[in-house]
Amino acid sequence: MSGWPLWAVLAPVAPALLETRARAALIFEEDEEDGKEPSFEIIRGNGRYHAIASTDPDDLGAEMRIAEALSLECDEPVYSIERAKEPWAVTSWRNGASEVLEDEDPDELAESLGCPLPGHEQSSDSPASKPLRTVSLIEGVRAEEAHRVLEENHDAPFSPGRYHLQSTPRGFLLVCGKGMNFADIILSERLPHATVYAVTASPSLDTFSVTRIQGGEGIEEFAHPPDEFPNLPVVSEIKGETTPERILAALGIPAEWFRNE
């Protein structure tokens, strides 16, 4: 595997069972007929835990399905890691129930369990290690209404820094903290009259995408550079603009917010 995995699952089960669960979650039967190679790698640990990891952004979310299924078969916790965006999210699973570990570093966890993930030896200052960040513009609802929906969607009050809302003339901007990487989708599901523009970008904006979401579902996407295998209908502009810098200006999102500072 080249580069840092975008997601991983660590579980106290045999590597063969990990692979079986991953193939079930990702439905590789159809892919194999098309000649597509599996997008994950099995990492054998030196103890009870082994891991499965992938660099394929199209499969994000599979880590939760795999971890949930495995947690129903294990007495010890199963861990899922999602680090495609900042902040990285580490979740512990027991008997199908999840708990976000807000202060857990994914690489330190993997090493402590005896199965370090690929790329862990890279410096945290290297470009390859810098995760993408997502900032969303939500149109059609007030920030106060969104805050209420997010609070009601969780059993316990949010800790400080879980998310940040900022009102603007165009709507409000949402930046998620740990454990809230899908807050924009939650808001779109609960507030179907809202339109969400979810912008995911690297610090230099050389990787840049915008997904328009309504009713909890992606409607269309813009990507720079273009995605070779897009999951949604592709558009060539957002708000009439075609470059990352001008799209951010049209959405009212400061480019500085993606610089991971």
Side-chain angles (χ1 to χ4, degrees):
M1 177 180 294
S2 61
W4 286 41
L6 299 182
W7 61 264
V9 175
L10 301 95
V13 299
L17 181 57
L18 264 177
E19 181 168 356
T20 297
R21 292 293 180 267
R23 288 181 177 274
L26 299 174
I27 318 177
F28 267 114
E29 290 78 3
E30 296 178 4
D31 293 336
E32 288 174 347
E33 291 178 2
D34 296 334
K36 179 182 177 181
E37 292 296 323
S39 58
F40 59 79
E41 176 180 324
I42 299 295
I43 302 161
R44 293 178 177 271
N46 56 26
R48 288 181 49 77
Y49 278 80
H50 305 281
I52 186 168
S54 174
T55 59
D56 191 341
D58 291 340
D59 294 332
L60 282 169
E63 74 280 358
M64 293 187 288
R65 297 193 297 273
I66 297 168
E68 181 180 10
L70 286 170
S71 72
L72 298 173
E73 307 174 41
C74 300
D75 294 329
E76 298 172 83
V78 175
Y79 300 96
S80 64
I81 295 171
E82 188 271 289
R83 58 180 184 182
K85 299 180 289 187
E86 184 179 340
W88 298 340
V90 178
T91 303
S92 172
W93 297 81
R94 288 179 180 267
N95 298 318
S98 64
E99 177 187 1
V100 176
L101 306 180
E102 297 190 14
D103 298 320
E104 189 72 65
D105 180 87
D107 290 306
E108 291 179 1
L109 172 66
E111 289 193 61
S112 72
L113 296 175
C115 49
L117 301 176
H120 72 285
E121 69 281 353
Q122 298 184 44
S123 166
S124 61
D125 293 328
S126 67
S129 71
K130 291 186 180 294
L132 303 178
R133 173 171 290 178
T134 296
V135 180
S136 297
L137 170 68
I138 292 89
E139 297 178 328
V141 298
R142 293 177 292 106
E144 295 81 2
E145 184 179 9
H147 178 82
R148 175 182 56 77
V149 168
L150 293 177
E151 292 283 353
E152 290 176 351
N153 194 69
H154 286 71
D155 296 331
F158 288 129
S159 59
R162 182 66 68 87
Y163 65 87
H164 172 69
L165 301 177
Q166 178 174 312
S167 296
T168 77
R170 298 171 179 84
F172 69 89
L173 304 181
L174 169 68
V175 183
C176 295
K178 291 184 178 180
M180 287 295 294
N181 282 344
F182 303 105
D184 49 4
I185 298 177
I186 293 172
L187 288 173
S188 179
E189 290 175 342
R190 297 285 301 277
L191 303 169
H193 54 286
T195 298
V196 176
Y197 292 89
V199 181
T200 301
S202 61
S204 61
L205 305 183
D206 54 337
T207 297
F208 183 91
S209 68
V210 183
T211 302
R212 186 165 70 89
I213 305 168
Q214 288 183 313
E217 299 289 339
I219 304 300
E220 59 189 18
E221 67 179 8
F222 170 94
H224 174 81
D227 191 341
E228 186 176 359
F229 301 105
N231 293 317
L232 298 171
V234 175
V235 295
S236 59
E237 52 81 21
I238 297 291
K239 300 283 189 181
E241 303 295 348
T242 60
T243 65
E245 293 81 3
R246 292 191 64 83
I247 288 173
L248 289 179
L251 296 176
I253 300 176
E256 292 77 13
W257 287 14
F258 296 93
R259 292 179 181 159
N260 302 309
E261 295 175 351

